Amino acid sequence: MKQFILFAMLGGVGTAGHYLTLILLVQLVGMAAVWATTVGFMVGALINYFLNYHVTFQSDKTHSEAMLKFFIVAVVGAGINMTIMFFGVNIFALFYIFAQLAASFVVLLWTFAANKLWTFSVNVQQKILPEE
């Protein structure tokens, strides 16, 4: 539970980057919310990778392994995010920020579980067998 709380708190930094990008692209550029959230999601994912690698999971994996897995999880998360935004804005006519709040909650659950269990997981054999 402590790790999830830390993940969510540090994720707030990436989420701030995501929302700032989303709002600027919608309000200043006039980009559609579904596309703007996707750009914002990428900004947030870059921020979150480094925070999660170093702080939340304190990973000792190589960046080539961890980053590839992290961004596979992020691409799935971006798809979930886009889908919720599309339905929220285009089908249910929600204000884009309200749709984004719902999407952020669902993606938070997905990314924490996937990153904990796959991206930054410790090899079970390493935990069981002592080093020689």
Side-chain angles (χ1 to χ4, degrees):
M1 188 55 138
K2 288 180 190 178
Q3 194 173 45
F4 176 76
I5 292 168
L6 181 60
F7 181 86
M9 287 174 47
L10 291 175
V13 177
T15 300
H18 176 169
Y19 278 57
L20 179 62
T21 304
L22 167 64
I23 292 166
L24 289 174
L25 290 174
V26 169
Q27 299 299 322
L28 298 180
V29 178
M31 186 180 284
V34 173
W35 296 113
T37 193
T38 304
V39 175
F41 193 94
M42 290 185 272
V43 170
L46 287 170
I47 294 167
N48 284 335
Y49 171 74
F50 291 101
L51 291 173
N52 286 309
Y53 181 90
H54 293 292
V55 182
T56 306
F57 298 106
Q58 299 176 1
S59 183
D60 59 358
K61 292 183 181 236
T62 64
H63 282 293
S64 60
E65 177 187 0
M67 192 178 287
L68 175 63
K69 289 180 175 182
F70 185 89
F71 284 105
I72 290 171
V73 170
V75 165
V76 173
I80 294 167
N81 187 73
M82 279 184 74
T83 301
I84 293 170
M85 284 293 287
F86 175 82
F87 280 96
V89 171
N90 296 316
I91 306 300
F92 297 111
L94 295 174
F95 180 57
Y96 74 95
I97 295 296
F98 295 140
Q100 185 59 65
L101 288 168
S104 294
F105 177 73
V106 173
V107 171
L108 169 68
L109 298 176
W110 155 252
T111 55
F112 176 75
N115 283 314
K116 180 174 179 61
L117 297 173
W118 185 55
T119 306
F120 297 111
S121 68
V122 176
N123 185 331
V124 175
Q125 193 173 27
Q126 289 175 336
K127 284 184 164 182
I128 296 172
L129 299 175
E131 291 185 32
E132 296 181 36

